[in-house]
Amino acid sequence: MPSLHNLPAPAKINLFLHVTGRRADGYHLLQSVFMLIDWQDTLHIDTRQDGHVRRHDLNVALPEEDLCIKAARLLKAESRTAQGCDIRIHKSIPWGAGLGGGSSDAATVLLALNQLWGLHWPRHRLEALAVQLGADVPFFVRGHNAWVEGIGEHITPIALPDDVLTTPLMLLKPPLAVPTNAIFGSPTLKRDSEHATVAFFLAAPKQFGRNDLQDPAKAYQPADGSSNQINEALEVMKKRFGNSRMTGSGSTVFSWINDHTDTSTLPSFSAADIGIHDATWVSRVCRGLSRHPLLGVLDQIPD
């Protein structure tokens, strides 16, 4: 098969994110639930017989050595294939958003090239490579909503209630991108949250817990003196929907859309509808996914 086109790479949100401790090597221990959402990048991948690995940006210019390129080169090196590829990517998920867009793109590259290059590796072998690319990449390779622990390496599939998957979410991304090291290095970061259980989470999944990274993100002061819009995003979303929470290390904020909202208007709902008239802010109405769109599609990859 020489090519695979229109490959989805969905984003995720953290329904909650607790920091429960810190290892001796400095890595923080986390608990979270990752939920896939229907905001996605689109990739088109063609094989090359000359062995070169190339990426072509269809809309947004990406760094030269992004995770897609790293994923393809890592799989090529480990599999010792003589083949190469052209990766064309149309970005929709914003950068620096806490939505895992780059990690998801890398996972889609691994899943697609596993088939295009005729490797047929089991999923657990791809996950072992994914760990080398970043903490979120194995989650996207596995393809299930998950209860995540440790430094992100302990991933347990979780079946989210239908109400969680079908209730629309408003996502709002201000232009600010907060460096992850600034969050985890902040003296205001709470590092001793009590360990949660799946049962307690499932009792009230929309209201459960908090994001321990949210307060350090709100306190972050950009070096260029620009304003931190995370506070504004949280406040305007809570005022409109009655709830708001940051996902990941930011800066995207999400809200569950309450029942009284006219759902017929949701496809065109935007930041302007909640009082944000700055075109540099990005918004999207999303819903949860029960699993990755590629799960079971590409060559029936065994676990």
Side-chain angles (χ1 to χ4, degrees), residues 4 33 45 48 67-68 92 94 101 123 145 161 181 205 225 230 245 260 276 298:
L4 288 168
V33 166
I45 304 179
R48 297 174 62 119
L67 281 180
C68 285
S92 175
R123 196 173 299 273
N145 295 320
N181 59 358
I230 294 176
R245 181 173 293 178
H260 65 264
I276 301 294
L298 291 182

Side-chain angles (χ1 to χ4, degrees), residues 166-216:
T166 58
T167 300
L169 290 153
M170 176 75 174
L171 275 69
L172 182 64
K173 164 69 172 70
L176 176 72
V178 183
T180 303
N181 59 358
I183 299 295
F184 284 102
S186 171
T188 65
L189 176 62
K190 179 179 174 62
R191 297 179 170 90
D192 59 353
S193 288
E194 292 186 7
H195 283 265
T197 65
V198 174
F200 276 114
F201 164 74
L202 289 176
K206 294 181 186 177
Q207 295 82 32
F208 181 82
R210 64 196 167 273
N211 183 346
D212 283 338
L213 308 187
Q214 184 169 299
D215 283 344

Side-chain angles (χ1 to χ4, degrees), residues 233-255:
L234 287 163
E235 290 172 5
V236 73
M237 292 278 275
K238 186 170 185 179
K239 181 179 180 180
R240 177 63 178 80
F241 300 111
N243 67 95
S244 65
R245 181 173 293 178
M246 189 181 77
T247 181
S249 57
S251 56
T252 301
V253 171
F254 69 90
S255 297

Side-chain angles (χ1 to χ4, degrees), residues 2-3 10 24 49 59 91 102 157 162-163 175 186 212 222 226 278 301:
S3 64
Q49 298 307 311
N59 59 338
K91 288 292 294 182
D162 288 343
D163 181 53
S186 171
D212 283 338
S226 59
D278 185 337
I301 303 173

